[in-house]
Amino acid sequence: MKIQYLMLFFLVFLSGCQSNPTMVAEPPPPWIENPGEGAVGSSSIHIKGRHFQEELAITRARERLASRYGVTISSVSRIEEKVRNDTAFVRSDHEIRQILEGTEVKAQVRATWHDKASDTVWVWLYPAD
């Protein structure tokens, strides 16, 4: 009889521990899969914060959009991280090379979306007149 009470106690205890609310995933906007004449860029967590995360997403969308107009963009990033005695040291190098062939590409941010479940920022860039 004592074993049954003990098992019932553990069952109630464990069910109470699992009552954390779960985050409901918001569906992505349709422009992520179908950007039309625009381009989409994304960025997950950035070491320098949300502003830099959004700027990186814009840069990636700009590279995709520019490639359609004959602009060659090459970007290389190198991040080096060292940890010594519970202190982290981060060094970041970023190099961008552009080759323009008489084409000027103007663009504007049409929409942004933050996927909170994966902490990813999505940006929809569209050609501007």
Side-chain angles (χ1 to χ4, degrees):
M1 192 74 166
K2 290 182 181 183
I3 294 176
Q4 291 174 342
Y5 287 123
L6 187 60
M7 290 180 67
L8 179 64
F9 171 76
F10 281 119
L11 181 64
V12 171
F13 177 76
L14 292 176
S15 67
C17 293
Q18 296 177 359
S19 65
N20 291 338
T22 58
M23 185 183 306
V24 176
E26 183 180 337
W31 52 261
I32 289 179
E33 292 294 324
N34 185 13
E37 294 294 317
V40 175
S42 66
S43 174
S44 56
I45 299 170
H46 196 286
I47 195 165
K48 291 185 179 180
R50 176 72 183 272
H51 174 74
F52 286 92
Q53 182 181 10
E54 191 170 320
E55 288 297 317
L56 180 57
I58 291 170
T59 299
R60 289 176 175 167
R62 186 181 300 130
E63 289 174 0
R64 288 187 180 132
L65 188 61
S67 68
R68 293 184 196 166
Y69 294 98
V71 178
T72 304
I73 299 175
S74 172
S75 66
V76 177
S77 296
R78 190 179 118 212
I79 298 174
E80 182 180 330
E81 183 176 347
K82 295 179 183 179
V83 178
R84 185 181 306 143
N85 296 334
D86 295 332
T87 304
F89 301 94
V90 178
R91 180 175 173 226
S92 175
D93 295 322
H94 189 75
E95 178 182 323
I96 299 175
R97 295 181 187 188
Q98 297 181 347
I99 301 170
L100 302 172
E101 295 182 12
T103 304
E104 182 178 5
V105 179
K106 293 181 182 179
Q108 63 184 12
V109 175
R110 188 167 271 189
T112 60
W113 179 63
H114 180 220
D115 182 359
K116 294 176 182 155
S118 65
D119 197 16
T120 301
V121 172
W122 295 83
V123 176
W124 185 21
L125 206 65
Y126 219 77
D129 296 329

